[in-house]
Amino acid sequence: MAGCTMNGERKIIMAKYRKLGRTSAQRKALLRNQVTAVINNGKIVTTEAKAKEVQKIVDGLIALAVKEKDNFETVKVTTKVARKDKDGKRVKQIVDKETGKVLAESHRKDGKLVKIENGVTVTVYDEVEKEIKKDLPTRSHARRQMLKVLNPVVEVPADAAGKKKNTKEVDLVAKLFDEYAPKYATRKGGYTRIVKIGQRKGDAAMTVVLELV
């Protein structure tokens, strides 16, 4: 990667790189997948040629995160949060659908659903004040550039494999800013390394591990 300004996706991925035996679109998709895997998992196993291309992009992303890690301001906001019971489930009431008056504090009684004429079930929300990080312009720009390179990643708990419930999207940009940037703040580049592990059967291509240091 030429520098860490990353003024556009073409500069990040397309310029002056090996073609890797693929069309432009295929090569771009391959690099995005592997860069995403490194940022999410900390390492990948791939060929030496691919690793060298991915390494440039990953190092550039981390360098950008380090540069912009402190370019935010902390602000207080008021937001609504669903109230939870002792079991971690959302608290629900029955209210009059016209006036909003509370008709019942719970929509269940003895484990059974309660039905009240003209009543609707609603989730109870509480207003809470919390502090959030508000990006300054340069950090907002960096965030957009990162999102152009990284693919979405959904985390599925092992005990819920194949189920949509409890899955969540991994915020890789937050991982760059909040985890990797502080870790590498005093390091002047060289955030990854390539370790050779042997030739691949079939085409004898050198296989390597590309990992964060």
Side-chain angles (χ1 to χ4, degrees):
M1 177 172 291
C4 60
T5 56
M6 299 176 67
N7 295 320
E9 186 179 4
R10 185 175 180 84
K11 185 172 182 180
I12 298 170
I13 293 182
M14 301 300 293
K16 298 182 181 178
Y17 287 109
R18 297 174 179 85
K19 292 183 179 179
L20 302 176
R22 288 168 170 78
T23 65
S24 177
Q26 290 172 336
R27 180 182 164 285
K28 180 178 174 181
L30 169 69
L31 292 177
R32 289 187 66 174
N33 287 339
Q34 294 203 326
V35 169
T36 299
V38 174
I39 298 300
N40 187 42
N41 302 316
K43 65 180 180 180
I44 58 169
V45 176
T46 185
T47 63
E48 187 174 19
K50 293 172 187 173
K52 288 179 178 179
E53 302 308 302
V54 174
Q55 184 179 45
K56 297 172 187 177
I57 302 170
V58 171
D59 281 356
L61 288 172
I62 295 176
L64 184 59
V66 170
K67 179 183 176 182
E68 297 294 338
K69 71 181 182 67
D70 296 323
N71 288 335
F72 65 88
E73 57 184 0
T74 303
V75 297
K76 289 184 178 181
V77 297
T78 300
T79 184
K80 289 185 177 181
V81 178
R83 188 182 300 172
K84 302 288 184 68
D85 61 18
K86 60 182 178 60
D87 297 319
K89 296 181 179 179
R90 291 189 174 192
V91 174
K92 296 184 178 182
Q93 297 175 332
I94 300 178
V95 302
D96 188 291
K97 65 180 180 180
E98 294 179 355
T99 66
K101 181 180 178 181
V102 177
L103 302 177
E105 290 295 336
S106 174
H107 70 306
R108 290 181 180 271
K109 185 175 182 180
D110 298 327
K112 297 181 179 179
L113 289 173
V114 175
K115 293 185 178 179
I116 300 178
E117 186 178 354
N118 210 43
V120 292
T121 300
V122 298
T123 300
V124 180
Y125 289 89
D126 296 318
E127 285 194 351
V128 297
E129 188 178 75
K130 63 180 182 179
E131 292 185 343
I132 63 169
K133 293 179 180 178
K134 182 180 179 182
D135 290 344
L136 296 178
T138 57
R139 181 167 155 131
S140 290
H141 178 70
R143 183 183 296 274
R144 289 192 295 270
Q145 299 312 306
M146 292 172 179
L147 289 171
K148 287 179 181 179
V149 179
L150 298 169
N151 286 328
V153 173
V154 175
E155 190 176 75
V156 181
D159 57 354
K163 298 180 181 179
K164 195 171 183 180
K165 185 179 180 182
N166 295 328
T167 61
K168 64 178 181 178
E169 186 168 334
V170 180
D171 191 341
L172 295 182
V173 173
K175 194 167 188 174
L176 279 163
F177 281 133
D178 301 335
E179 181 179 336
Y180 294 145
K183 178 180 178 180
Y184 298 115
T186 59
R187 191 180 183 93
K188 303 299 182 182
Y191 309 111
T192 57
R193 64 180 165 225
I194 294 175
V195 181
K196 295 181 180 181
I197 57 177
Q199 291 181 314
R200 186 169 62 185
K201 291 182 179 179
D203 60 1
M206 179 57 68
T207 305
V208 303
V209 174
L210 171 63
E211 60 187 2
L212 299 175
V213 297

